Each structure stands twice: as structure tokens, then as C-alpha cells.
Amino acid sequence: MRSRVAAAFLLLAAWTGIIGVAEAQRQPPYWASIAAGRALMRVGPAQTYPATWLYIRPDLPIRVVAIQGDWRRVQDPDGTEGWMLVRLLSDQRSGIVRGESPQPMHESADASSAVRYRAEPGVVGRVSRCRDGWCLFDVGGRRGYIRVDTLWGVEASETID
């Protein structure tokens, strides 16, 4: 009986917009990004806990590793973990370029295709259409296909449509 009441509450909450349907069904770990222009990471899941970092980089990819109410325990690209309010996060997928040198962004998901742009390490962009080790990577309107293994924010074997 309790499980039916809990399921009914989640369905009602999702339907009324209290929480999104995807959020109601999602279980960690999963990828998200920072939605806000200013987002505080805290040492615990409440505003009474001290902040350890201030992020001022929208679209920065983060990995959600735990959920507690309206709070998400997240990991940033450098491995730092802490808590953020869910309203500071977005389902928009993004990635950050890793490595020591600029990474080619190709015209198609093929290493032999023309290189359209090169993305420097640390560049953040939105990812979509990931398949077979490649993702479409958009950096401020400049789009090209980039190898998944050069990004943090996407699993190597992940498919995104």
C-alpha cells in the first residue's frame, strides 16, 4: 500500500510540475550540467552548510552521484564533490574537452572527414547525437563531431539521440 501511495505522489508531483517526469524516474549516477550563472557547491545538502565553490560557468558538465530531497551530490570535471540545489542544474548535456592539445571537431563522425574547428582543452560545449565513440559538439554555434574519449561528460559507450 505504501509503495502505491508513494508512486501516486510521484506521478501527481510530476504531472503538476513540482518535479519533472525525468527527475522522478532518474537514478544516480547520471550526467547533467550547471544551468545557473552562479551556482554554489556546499559540503552538505542544505543551505545551512558552508559553500566550498562558486561556479560561474553555465553548461559545465557535472555528474550527479546521489540525491537527497532537492539536493544533488555532484562531481565536477576535476573530481571535486559537493552538494547543489537541483534548480541550479539542467538536463542539457554538455562536455568539457580534455587532454593536452586542441581536439579536432570533424564535419562528420569519421576521423577521415574534414576538420571544421579545433577545441582547446577546457572548452565547454553542448553534446548531442552521440554514437560509436563520436558526439556532435556545439561550442557557441560552432559545431563538429568530436571523439568521446576527448570529453568529460559522456560515457565512452553512451548513445544520445
Side-chain angles (χ1 to χ4, degrees):
M1 177 68 178
R2 260 189 176 159
S3 62
R4 276 201 252 168
V5 170
F9 173 75
L10 282 175
L11 185 60
L12 179 63
W15 182 72
T16 59
I18 296 172
I19 58 177
V21 174
E23 192 64 37
Q25 298 171 347
R26 184 171 295 176
Q27 294 297 315
Y30 63 89
W31 295 100
S33 60
I34 295 178
R38 295 173 60 86
L40 287 175
M41 178 186 279
R42 298 183 178 275
V43 297
Q47 290 181 330
T48 55
Y49 285 95
T52 53
W53 288 101
L54 170 64
Y55 294 86
I56 54 173
R57 196 167 187 188
D59 284 341
L60 183 72
I62 51 105
R63 184 167 181 81
V64 176
V65 296
I67 296 174
Q68 186 171 329
D70 288 340
W71 292 86
R72 302 297 178 264
R73 183 163 179 84
V74 299
Q75 180 184 52
D76 74 12
D78 293 325
T80 302
E81 288 194 17
W83 293 88
M84 285 188 179
L85 271 168
V86 68
R87 73 173 183 255
L88 301 174
L89 306 177
S90 169
D91 288 336
Q92 174 63 57
R93 294 297 298 272
S94 63
I96 187 168
V97 177
R98 291 303 204 184
E100 300 297 319
S101 59
Q103 298 300 316
M105 294 171 57
H106 292 267
E107 192 171 286
S108 63
D110 180 350
S112 64
S113 69
V115 174
R116 299 180 83 187
Y117 307 100
R118 294 191 187 278
E120 293 282 338
V123 166
V124 172
R126 293 184 172 192
V127 296
S128 60
R129 293 192 231 158
C130 297
R131 174 167 302 181
D132 300 325
W134 292 88
C135 285
L136 183 58
F137 193 57
D138 184 324
V139 181
R142 293 188 172 127
R143 299 168 52 149
Y145 285 87
I146 192 167
R147 295 285 315 164
V148 169
D149 58 4
T150 65
L151 295 175
W152 190 88
V154 181
E155 299 296 331
S157 60
E158 189 173 8
T159 298
I160 300 173
D161 293 319

